[in-house]
Amino acid sequence: AAAQLQLQLMLYLQAASAGTGQFLDSDVHDRIALPRSVVPADTQFALRISGDSMEPAYYSEQLAFVK
Protein backbone atom coordinates (compact mmCIF):
# COMPACT_ATOMS: atom_id res chain seq x y z
CA ALA A 1 0.00 0.00 0.00
CA ALA A 2 2.84 2.41 0.77
CA ALA A 3 4.28 1.94 -2.73
CA GLN A 4 1.01 3.21 -4.20
CA LEU A 5 1.53 6.49 -2.36
CA GLN A 6 4.87 7.01 -4.15
CA LEU A 7 5.37 8.24 -7.70
CA GLN A 8 8.51 7.54 -9.75
CA LEU A 9 9.53 10.71 -11.59
CA MET A 10 12.43 11.73 -13.82
CA LEU A 11 14.65 14.37 -12.21
CA TYR A 12 16.88 16.10 -14.76
CA LEU A 13 20.33 16.75 -13.33
CA GLN A 14 20.76 20.06 -15.16
CA ALA A 15 19.18 22.76 -13.01
CA ALA A 16 16.89 25.51 -14.28
CA SER A 17 18.66 28.83 -14.01
CA ALA A 18 16.80 31.43 -11.98
CA GLY A 19 18.04 34.62 -13.55
CA THR A 20 20.06 34.50 -16.74
CA GLY A 21 18.12 31.60 -18.19
CA GLN A 22 19.44 28.27 -19.36
CA PHE A 23 18.09 25.78 -21.87
CA LEU A 24 17.45 22.24 -20.72
CA ASP A 25 19.81 20.75 -23.29
CA SER A 26 20.81 17.57 -21.49
CA ASP A 27 18.88 14.35 -21.15
CA VAL A 28 20.89 13.13 -18.15
CA HIS A 29 18.47 12.30 -15.37
CA ASP A 30 17.82 10.16 -12.32
CA ARG A 31 14.57 8.66 -11.17
CA ILE A 32 13.25 9.74 -7.79
CA ALA A 33 10.34 8.58 -5.67
CA LEU A 34 8.10 11.28 -4.27
CA PRO A 35 4.81 11.17 -2.41
CA ARG A 36 1.96 11.50 -4.91
CA SER A 37 0.50 14.21 -2.69
CA VAL A 38 3.35 16.66 -3.52
CA VAL A 39 3.45 16.10 -7.30
CA PRO A 40 0.95 18.17 -9.34
CA ALA A 41 -1.30 16.31 -11.78
CA ASP A 42 0.08 15.79 -15.30
CA THR A 43 3.71 16.33 -14.22
CA GLN A 44 6.11 14.93 -16.82
CA PHE A 45 9.42 15.52 -15.01
CA ALA A 46 11.15 17.58 -12.32
CA LEU A 47 14.29 19.70 -12.13
CA ARG A 48 15.98 21.82 -9.51
CA ILE A 49 16.10 25.59 -9.47
CA SER A 50 19.54 27.20 -9.42
CA GLY A 51 19.91 30.80 -8.29
CA ASP A 52 17.94 33.27 -6.22
CA SER A 53 16.52 35.83 -8.65
CA MET A 54 13.03 34.28 -8.56
CA GLU A 55 12.67 34.40 -4.77
CA PRO A 56 10.25 34.29 -3.05
CA ALA A 57 8.33 32.35 -5.73
CA TYR A 58 11.14 29.80 -6.19
CA TYR A 59 14.23 29.13 -4.10
CA SER A 60 17.59 27.69 -5.13
CA GLU A 61 17.61 23.88 -4.91
CA GLN A 62 13.78 23.74 -4.86
CA LEU A 63 12.16 21.15 -7.12
CA ALA A 64 10.15 22.48 -10.04
CA PHE A 65 7.55 20.20 -11.61
CA VAL A 66 7.11 20.46 -15.38
CA LYS A 67 4.00 19.45 -17.32
Side-chain angles (χ1 to χ4, degrees):
Q4 292 177 342
L5 299 176
Q6 295 286 307
L7 179 66
Q8 291 289 320
L9 193 62
M10 283 191 308
L11 172 66
Y12 280 87
L13 300 184
Q14 180 177 339
S17 176
T20 59
Q22 181 172 317
F23 289 104
L24 181 59
D25 61 358
S26 172
D27 62 357
V28 178
H29 65 276
D30 281 338
R31 293 201 69 80
I32 58 172
L34 295 171
R36 287 184 185 272
S37 61
V38 302
V39 180
D42 300 325
T43 294
Q44 298 297 309
F45 62 91
L47 45 78
R48 294 211 181 271
I49 300 296
S50 174
D52 61 6
S53 69
M54 293 193 294
E55 290 180 7
Y58 300 98
Y59 291 90
S60 195
E61 299 301 314
Q62 179 179 350
L63 282 179
F65 299 105
V66 181
K67 292 184 177 186

Coordinates of all heavy atoms in Angstrom, one line a residue:
A1 N 0.8 -1.2 0.0 CA 0.0 0.0 0.0 C 0.9 1.3 0.0 O 0.5 2.2 -0.6 CB -0.9 0.0 1.2
A2 N 2.0 1.2 0.7 CA 2.8 2.4 0.8 C 3.4 2.7 -0.6 O 3.6 3.9 -0.9 CB 4.0 2.2 1.8
A3 N 3.7 1.7 -1.4 CA 4.3 1.9 -2.7 C 3.3 2.7 -3.6 O 3.7 3.5 -4.5 CB 4.7 0.6 -3.4
Q4 N 2.0 2.5 -3.4 CA 1.0 3.2 -4.2 C 1.0 4.7 -3.9 O 0.5 5.5 -4.7 CB -0.4 2.6 -4.0 CG -0.5 1.2 -4.6 CD -1.8 0.6 -4.3 OE1 -2.5 1.0 -3.4 NE2 -2.1 -0.5 -5.0
L5 N 1.5 5.1 -2.7 CA 1.5 6.5 -2.4 C 2.7 7.2 -2.9 O 2.8 8.4 -2.9 CB 1.5 6.6 -0.8 CG 0.3 6.0 -0.1 CD1 0.5 6.1 1.4 CD2 -0.9 6.7 -0.5
Q6 N 3.7 6.4 -3.6 CA 4.9 7.0 -4.1 C 4.7 7.1 -5.7 O 4.1 6.3 -6.3 CB 6.1 6.1 -3.8 CG 6.4 6.1 -2.4 CD 7.1 7.4 -1.9 OE1 8.0 7.8 -2.4 NE2 6.5 7.9 -0.8
L7 N 5.4 8.1 -6.3 CA 5.4 8.2 -7.7 C 6.8 8.3 -8.2 O 7.6 9.0 -7.6 CB 4.6 9.5 -8.1 CG 4.6 9.9 -9.5 CD1 3.7 8.9 -10.3 CD2 4.0 11.3 -9.7
Q8 N 7.2 7.5 -9.2 CA 8.5 7.5 -9.8 C 8.5 8.7 -10.8 O 7.7 8.7 -11.7 CB 8.9 6.2 -10.4 CG 9.0 5.1 -9.4 CD 10.3 5.2 -8.6 OE1 11.4 5.6 -9.2 NE2 10.3 4.9 -7.4
L9 N 9.5 9.5 -10.7 CA 9.5 10.7 -11.6 C 11.0 10.9 -12.1 O 11.9 10.7 -11.3 CB 9.0 11.9 -10.8 CG 8.7 13.2 -11.5 CD1 7.6 13.0 -12.5 CD2 8.3 14.3 -10.5
M10 N 11.1 11.4 -13.3 CA 12.4 11.7 -13.8 C 12.8 13.1 -13.2 O 12.0 14.0 -13.2 CB 12.4 11.9 -15.3 CG 12.4 10.6 -16.1 SD 12.7 10.8 -17.9 CE 11.5 12.0 -18.3
L11 N 14.1 13.1 -12.7 CA 14.7 14.4 -12.2 C 15.9 14.7 -13.1 O 16.9 14.0 -13.0 CB 15.1 14.2 -10.7 CG 15.9 15.4 -10.2 CD1 15.0 16.7 -10.1 CD2 16.4 15.1 -8.8
Y12 N 15.7 15.7 -13.9 CA 16.9 16.1 -14.8 C 18.0 16.7 -13.9 O 17.7 17.4 -12.9 CB 16.4 17.1 -15.8 CG 15.8 16.4 -17.0 CD1 14.4 16.1 -17.0 CD2 16.5 16.0 -18.1 CE1 13.8 15.5 -18.0 CE2 15.9 15.3 -19.1 CZ 14.6 15.1 -19.1 OH 14.0 14.4 -20.1
L13 N 19.2 16.3 -14.2 CA 20.3 16.7 -13.3 C 20.8 18.2 -13.6 O 21.4 18.8 -12.8 CB 21.5 15.8 -13.5 CG 21.1 14.3 -13.0 CD1 22.4 13.4 -13.1 CD2 20.6 14.3 -11.6
Q14 N 20.4 18.7 -14.8 CA 20.8 20.1 -15.2 C 19.7 20.9 -14.5 O 18.5 20.8 -14.7 CB 20.8 20.3 -16.7 CG 21.1 21.7 -17.1 CD 21.1 21.8 -18.6 OE1 21.3 20.8 -19.3 NE2 21.0 23.0 -19.1
A15 N 20.1 21.9 -13.7 CA 19.2 22.8 -13.0 C 18.6 23.8 -13.9 O 19.2 24.2 -14.9 CB 19.9 23.4 -11.8
A16 N 17.5 24.4 -13.6 CA 16.9 25.5 -14.3 C 17.5 26.8 -13.7 O 17.5 26.9 -12.5 CB 15.4 25.5 -14.1
S17 N 18.0 27.6 -14.5 CA 18.7 28.8 -14.0 C 17.6 29.9 -13.7 O 16.8 30.3 -14.5 CB 19.6 29.4 -15.1 OG 20.2 30.6 -14.7
A18 N 17.7 30.3 -12.4 CA 16.8 31.4 -12.0 C 17.6 32.7 -12.2 O 18.4 33.1 -11.4 CB 16.4 31.2 -10.5
G19 N 17.3 33.4 -13.3 CA 18.0 34.6 -13.5 C 18.4 34.7 -15.0 O 17.6 35.2 -15.8
T20 N 19.6 34.3 -15.4 CA 20.1 34.5 -16.7 C 19.4 33.6 -17.7 O 19.5 33.8 -18.9 CB 21.6 34.3 -16.8 OG1 21.9 33.0 -16.4 CG2 22.3 35.3 -15.9
G21 N 18.8 32.5 -17.3 CA 18.1 31.6 -18.2 C 19.1 30.5 -18.7 O 20.3 30.8 -18.8
Q22 N 18.6 29.4 -18.9 CA 19.4 28.3 -19.4 C 18.5 27.2 -20.0 O 17.5 26.9 -19.4 CB 20.2 27.7 -18.2 CG 21.1 26.5 -18.5 CD 21.9 26.2 -17.2 OE1 22.4 27.0 -16.5 NE2 22.0 24.9 -17.0
F23 N 18.9 26.8 -21.2 CA 18.1 25.8 -21.9 C 18.3 24.4 -21.2 O 19.4 24.1 -20.8 CB 18.5 25.7 -23.4 CG 18.0 26.9 -24.1 CD1 18.9 27.9 -24.5 CD2 16.7 27.0 -24.5 CE1 18.5 28.9 -25.3 CE2 16.2 28.1 -25.2 CZ 17.1 29.1 -25.6
L24 N 17.3 23.6 -21.2 CA 17.4 22.2 -20.7 C 17.9 21.4 -21.9 O 17.1 21.0 -22.7 CB 16.1 21.7 -20.2 CG 16.1 20.3 -19.7 CD1 17.1 20.1 -18.5 CD2 14.8 19.8 -19.2
D25 N 19.2 21.4 -22.1 CA 19.8 20.7 -23.3 C 20.6 19.5 -23.0 O 21.5 19.1 -23.7 CB 20.7 21.7 -24.0 CG 21.9 22.2 -23.2 OD1 22.0 21.8 -22.0 OD2 22.7 23.0 -23.8
S26 N 20.2 18.8 -21.9 CA 20.8 17.6 -21.5 C 19.7 16.6 -21.1 O 18.7 17.0 -20.6 CB 21.7 17.8 -20.3 OG 22.2 16.5 -19.8
D27 N 19.9 15.3 -21.5 CA 18.9 14.3 -21.1 C 19.3 13.5 -20.0 O 18.7 12.4 -19.7 CB 18.5 13.5 -22.4 CG 19.7 12.7 -22.9 OD1 20.8 12.9 -22.4 OD2 19.4 11.9 -23.9
V28 N 20.4 13.9 -19.3 CA 20.9 13.1 -18.1 C 19.9 13.3 -17.0 O 19.6 14.5 -16.6 CB 22.3 13.6 -17.8 CG1 22.8 12.8 -16.5 CG2 23.3 13.4 -18.9
H29 N 19.4 12.2 -16.5 CA 18.5 12.3 -15.4 C 18.6 11.1 -14.5 O 19.2 10.1 -14.8 CB 17.1 12.4 -15.9 CG 16.6 11.2 -16.7 ND1 16.9 11.0 -18.0 CD2 15.9 10.1 -16.3 CE1 16.4 9.9 -18.4 NE2 15.8 9.3 -17.4
D30 N 18.0 11.2 -13.3 CA 17.8 10.2 -12.3 C 16.3 9.9 -12.2 O 15.5 10.7 -12.7 CB 18.4 10.6 -10.9 CG 19.9 10.4 -10.8 OD1 20.5 9.7 -11.6 OD2 20.4 11.1 -9.9
R31 N 16.0 8.9 -11.5 CA 14.6 8.7 -11.2 C 14.5 8.8 -9.7 O 15.3 8.3 -8.9 CB 14.1 7.3 -11.6 CG 14.1 7.2 -13.2 CD 13.2 6.1 -13.7 NE 11.8 6.3 -13.6 CZ 11.1 7.1 -14.3 NH1 11.6 7.8 -15.3 NH2 9.8 7.2 -14.2
I32 N 13.5 9.5 -9.2 CA 13.3 9.7 -7.8 C 11.8 9.3 -7.4 O 10.9 9.3 -8.3 CB 13.5 11.2 -7.4 CG1 12.6 12.2 -8.1 CG2 14.9 11.6 -7.5 CD1 12.6 13.6 -7.6
A33 N 11.7 8.9 -6.2 CA 10.3 8.6 -5.7 C 9.9 9.7 -4.8 O 10.6 10.1 -3.9 CB 10.4 7.3 -4.9
L34 N 8.7 10.2 -5.1 CA 8.1 11.3 -4.3 C 6.7 10.9 -3.9 O 6.0 10.2 -4.6 CB 8.1 12.6 -5.1 CG 9.4 13.2 -5.5 CD1 9.2 14.3 -6.4 CD2 10.1 13.7 -4.2
P35 N 6.2 11.4 -2.8 CA 4.8 11.2 -2.4 C 3.9 11.8 -3.5 O 4.1 12.9 -3.9 CB 4.6 11.9 -1.1 CG 6.0 12.1 -0.6 CD 6.9 12.2 -1.8
R36 N 2.9 11.0 -3.9 CA 2.0 11.5 -4.9 C 1.3 12.8 -4.5 O 1.0 13.7 -5.3 CB 0.9 10.5 -5.2 CG 1.3 9.3 -5.9 CD 0.2 8.3 -6.2 NE 0.7 7.1 -6.9 CZ 0.8 7.0 -8.2 NH1 0.5 8.0 -9.0 NH2 1.3 5.9 -8.7
S37 N 1.2 13.0 -3.2 CA 0.5 14.2 -2.7 C 1.3 15.5 -3.0 O 0.7 16.6 -2.9 CB 0.2 14.1 -1.2 OG 1.5 13.9 -0.5
V38 N 2.6 15.4 -3.3 CA 3.3 16.7 -3.5 C 3.6 16.9 -5.0 O 4.1 18.0 -5.4 CB 4.7 16.7 -2.8 CG1 4.5 16.5 -1.3 CG2 5.6 15.6 -3.3
V39 N 3.2 16.0 -5.9 CA 3.4 16.1 -7.3 C 2.2 16.5 -8.0 O 1.2 15.8 -7.9 CB 3.9 14.8 -7.9 CG1 4.2 14.9 -9.4 CG2 5.2 14.3 -7.2
P40 N 2.2 17.7 -8.6 CA 1.0 18.2 -9.3 C 0.5 17.2 -10.4 O 1.4 16.5 -11.0 CB 1.4 19.5 -9.9 CG 2.6 19.9 -9.1 CD 3.3 18.7 -8.7
A41 N -0.8 17.2 -10.7 CA -1.3 16.3 -11.8 C -0.6 16.6 -13.1 O -0.3 17.8 -13.4 CB -2.8 16.5 -11.9
D42 N -0.5 15.7 -13.9 CA 0.1 15.8 -15.3 C 1.6 16.2 -15.3 O 2.1 16.6 -16.4 CB -0.7 16.8 -16.1 CG -2.2 16.4 -16.3 OD1 -2.4 15.2 -16.4 OD2 -3.0 17.3 -16.3
T43 N 2.3 16.0 -14.2 CA 3.7 16.3 -14.2 C 4.4 15.3 -15.1 O 4.2 14.1 -14.9 CB 4.3 16.3 -12.8 OG1 3.7 17.4 -12.0 CG2 5.8 16.5 -12.8
Q44 N 5.3 15.8 -16.0 CA 6.1 14.9 -16.8 C 7.5 14.7 -16.2 O 8.0 13.6 -16.4 CB 6.3 15.6 -18.2 CG 4.9 15.8 -18.9 CD 4.2 14.4 -19.2 OE1 4.8 13.5 -19.7 NE2 3.0 14.4 -18.8
F45 N 8.1 15.7 -15.6 CA 9.4 15.5 -15.0 C 9.7 16.6 -14.0 O 8.9 17.6 -13.9 CB 10.5 15.5 -16.1 CG 10.7 16.7 -16.9 CD1 11.5 17.8 -16.5 CD2 10.0 16.9 -18.1 CE1 11.6 18.9 -17.3 CE2 10.1 18.0 -18.9 CZ 10.9 19.0 -18.5
A46 N 10.8 16.6 -13.3 CA 11.2 17.6 -12.3 C 12.6 18.0 -12.6 O 13.4 17.3 -13.2 CB 11.0 17.0 -10.9
L47 N 12.9 19.2 -12.1 CA 14.3 19.7 -12.1 C 14.5 20.6 -11.0 O 13.5 21.1 -10.4 CB 14.7 20.3 -13.5 CG 13.7 21.3 -14.1 CD1 13.7 22.7 -13.5 CD2 14.0 21.4 -15.6
R48 N 15.7 20.9 -10.6 CA 16.0 21.8 -9.5 C 16.2 23.2 -10.0 O 16.6 23.4 -11.1 CB 17.2 21.4 -8.8 CG 17.0 20.0 -8.1 CD 17.8 19.9 -6.8 NE 17.6 18.6 -6.2 CZ 16.7 18.4 -5.3 NH1 15.9 19.3 -4.9 NH2 16.5 17.2 -4.8
I49 N 15.9 24.2 -9.2 CA 16.1 25.6 -9.5 C 17.5 25.9 -9.0 O 18.0 25.5 -8.0 CB 15.1 26.5 -8.7 CG1 13.6 26.1 -9.1 CG2 15.4 28.0 -8.9 CD1 13.3 26.4 -10.6
S50 N 18.2 26.7 -9.8 CA 19.5 27.2 -9.4 C 19.6 28.7 -9.5 O 19.3 29.3 -10.5 CB 20.6 26.6 -10.4 OG 21.9 27.2 -10.1
G51 N 19.9 29.3 -8.4 CA 19.9 30.8 -8.3 C 18.8 31.4 -7.4 O 17.9 30.6 -7.0
D52 N 18.9 32.7 -7.2 CA 17.9 33.3 -6.2 C 17.1 34.4 -6.8 O 16.4 35.1 -6.1 CB 18.7 33.7 -5.0 CG 19.8 34.8 -5.3 OD1 19.9 35.2 -6.4 OD2 20.5 35.1 -4.3
S53 N 17.2 34.7 -8.1 CA 16.5 35.8 -8.6 C 15.0 35.7 -8.7 O 14.3 36.6 -9.0 CB 17.1 36.1 -10.0 OG 16.7 35.2 -11.0
M54 N 14.5 34.5 -8.5 CA 13.0 34.3 -8.6 C 12.4 34.2 -7.2 O 11.2 33.8 -7.0 CB 12.7 33.1 -9.4 CG 13.0 33.3 -10.9 SD 12.3 32.0 -12.0 CE 13.1 30.6 -11.5
E55 N 13.2 34.4 -6.1 CA 12.7 34.4 -4.8 C 11.7 35.6 -4.6 O 11.9 36.6 -5.2 CB 13.8 34.5 -3.7 CG 14.7 33.3 -3.7 CD 15.8 33.4 -2.7 OE1 15.8 34.4 -1.9 OE2 16.6 32.5 -2.6
P56 N 10.6 35.4 -3.9 CA 10.3 34.3 -3.1 C 9.4 33.2 -3.8 O 9.0 32.3 -3.1 CB 9.5 34.9 -1.9 CG 8.7 36.1 -2.6 CD 9.7 36.6 -3.7
A57 N 9.2 33.4 -5.0 CA 8.3 32.3 -5.7 C 9.0 31.0 -5.8 O 8.4 30.0 -5.6 CB 8.0 32.8 -7.1
Y58 N 10.3 31.0 -6.1 CA 11.1 29.8 -6.2 C 12.5 30.1 -5.5 O 13.0 31.1 -5.6 CB 11.4 29.4 -7.6 CG 10.2 29.1 -8.4 CD1 9.6 30.1 -9.3 CD2 9.5 27.9 -8.4 CE1 8.5 29.9 -10.0 CE2 8.4 27.6 -9.1 CZ 7.9 28.6 -9.9 OH 6.7 28.4 -10.6
Y59 N 13.0 29.0 -4.8 CA 14.2 29.1 -4.1 C 15.2 28.2 -4.7 O 14.9 27.1 -5.2 CB 14.0 28.8 -2.6 CG 13.2 29.9 -1.9 CD1 11.9 29.8 -1.8 CD2 13.9 31.0 -1.3 CE1 11.1 30.7 -1.2 CE2 13.1 32.0 -0.7 CZ 11.7 31.8 -0.6 OH 11.0 32.8 0.0
S60 N 16.5 28.5 -4.6 CA 17.6 27.7 -5.1 C 17.5 26.3 -4.5 O 17.2 26.2 -3.3 CB 19.0 28.3 -4.8 OG 19.9 27.7 -5.6
E61 N 17.7 25.3 -5.3 CA 17.6 23.9 -4.9 C 16.2 23.3 -4.8 O 16.0 22.2 -4.6 CB 18.4 23.6 -3.6 CG 19.9 23.9 -3.7 CD 20.6 23.1 -4.9 OE1 20.3 21.9 -5.0 OE2 21.3 23.7 -5.6
Q62 N 15.2 24.2 -4.9 CA 13.8 23.7 -4.9 C 13.5 22.9 -6.1 O 14.0 23.2 -7.2 CB 12.9 25.0 -4.8 CG 11.4 24.6 -4.8 CD 10.5 25.9 -4.7 OE1 11.0 27.0 -4.5 NE2 9.2 25.7 -4.9
L63 N 12.6 21.9 -6.0 CA 12.2 21.1 -7.1 C 11.1 21.9 -7.9 O 10.2 22.5 -7.3 CB 11.6 19.8 -6.7 CG 12.5 18.7 -6.3 CD1 11.8 17.5 -5.9 CD2 13.4 18.3 -7.5
A64 N 11.2 21.9 -9.2 CA 10.1 22.5 -10.0 C 9.6 21.3 -10.8 O 10.3 20.5 -11.4 CB 10.7 23.5 -11.0
F65 N 8.2 21.3 -10.9 CA 7.5 20.2 -11.6 C 7.1 20.7 -13.0 O 6.5 21.8 -13.0 CB 6.4 19.7 -10.8 CG 6.8 19.1 -9.5 CD1 6.6 19.8 -8.3 CD2 7.4 17.9 -9.4 CE1 6.9 19.3 -7.1 CE2 7.8 17.3 -8.2 CZ 7.5 18.0 -7.0
V66 N 7.4 20.0 -14.0 CA 7.1 20.5 -15.4 C 6.1 19.6 -16.0 O 6.2 18.3 -16.0 CB 8.4 20.5 -16.2 CG1 8.1 21.0 -17.6 CG2 9.5 21.3 -15.5
K67 N 5.1 20.2 -16.6 CA 4.0 19.5 -17.3 C 4.4 19.3 -18.8 O 5.0 20.1 -19.4 CB 2.7 20.2 -17.2 CG 2.1 20.2 -15.8 CD 0.8 20.9 -15.8 CE 0.2 20.8 -14.4 NZ -1.1 21.3 -14.4

